[in-house]
Amino acid sequence: IQKRIYRVLYTCHKDIRAKSMRLNTSMGTTCSVVCLVGNRGFYISIGDSRVYIMRRHTKSSRLISRDDTRRGAVITCIGLGRYKRIRGKHFCLLRGDSVLICTDGFYKRQERDILSRNGYESEGQPDDWLKSQTEKVRKRGEKDNISAIVIRNEGR
């Protein structure tokens, strides 16, 4: 599965670069991919999209991905420059734990809020929490694109 994901990301990189050249412009994107099988998973993160693990039993959240930035600018992304293959990293979830995958538009103006508590656990369903957090960052003046998804490990 990892090899297939790497191939897709490389193909996307080539396609975006080719379109950029045709249009004589500069285009690129960040990407975080999470693959879960049971309570085990791995992620690949390129750029400054992020992956957090939200631990239900400790009511805490932890950033597990690493931004590819320098002085606030993305240095590695899909479509710009030379393609840099990022190694996937593995993780385990406990029953009830969740994974949050989000863009910088979602986390920039609320990172302490994400890390200080277990996200939606205190506010109901993931969809409701995502909507409330999106409204919060917009009210705080966020203009960037805002994308986020929460995946909960229901386990057995």
Side-chain angles (χ1 to χ4, degrees):
I1 293 172
Q2 282 180 326
K3 286 181 183 180
R4 286 184 182 171
I5 292 171
Y6 287 131
R7 273 186 259 157
V8 167
L9 292 174
Y10 181 68
T11 300
C12 290
H13 176 77
K14 287 189 330 185
D15 291 349
I16 292 170
R17 275 187 60 90
K19 186 165 187 168
S20 289
M21 288 182 203
R22 276 195 316 273
L23 298 174
N24 196 26
T25 188
S26 181
M27 297 186 324
T29 188
T30 65
C31 181
S32 289
V33 177
V34 172
C35 180
L36 294 172
V37 178
N39 68 334
R40 299 181 63 196
F42 76 92
Y43 72 90
I44 300 165
S45 188
I46 301 170
D48 60 355
S49 295
R50 290 188 173 177
V51 180
Y52 293 85
I53 290 185
M54 304 165 89
R55 298 280 184 202
R56 183 177 187 180
H57 67 288
T58 60
K59 296 190 184 295
S60 63
S61 300
R62 180 172 61 97
L63 174 65
I64 61 171
S65 61
R66 189 171 144 193
D67 293 352
D68 292 314
T69 60
R70 192 174 296 138
R71 293 188 204 131
V74 175
I75 58 172
T76 303
C77 68
I78 297 171
L80 290 175
R82 191 167 165 233
Y83 182 74
K84 177 182 172 188
R85 183 172 155 179
I86 307 298
R87 289 197 185 274
K89 296 195 178 172
H90 295 266
F91 62 90
C92 288
L93 296 176
L94 302 173
R95 183 177 180 183
D97 286 352
S98 300
V99 177
L100 167 66
I101 309 163
C102 59
T103 61
D104 60 340
F106 185 81
Y107 70 75
K108 271 193 300 195
R109 296 186 185 266
Q110 70 167 344
E111 185 170 10
R112 288 189 192 107
D113 297 342
I114 293 172
L115 295 174
S116 66
R117 59 188 166 76
N118 197 13
Y120 70 85
E121 289 297 325
S122 62
E123 296 185 34
Q125 296 301 312
D127 289 346
D128 298 332
W129 180 75
L130 289 171
K131 286 177 189 170
S132 72
Q133 297 307 306
T134 299
E135 289 173 20
K136 182 189 296 185
V137 296
R138 283 195 175 124
K139 285 179 184 172
R140 291 178 179 174
E142 185 57 57
K143 302 288 185 218
D144 203 347
N145 63 323
I146 300 170
S147 300
I149 186 170
V150 172
I151 305 164
R152 188 192 313 212
N153 177 28
E154 292 296 335
R156 291 184 182 219

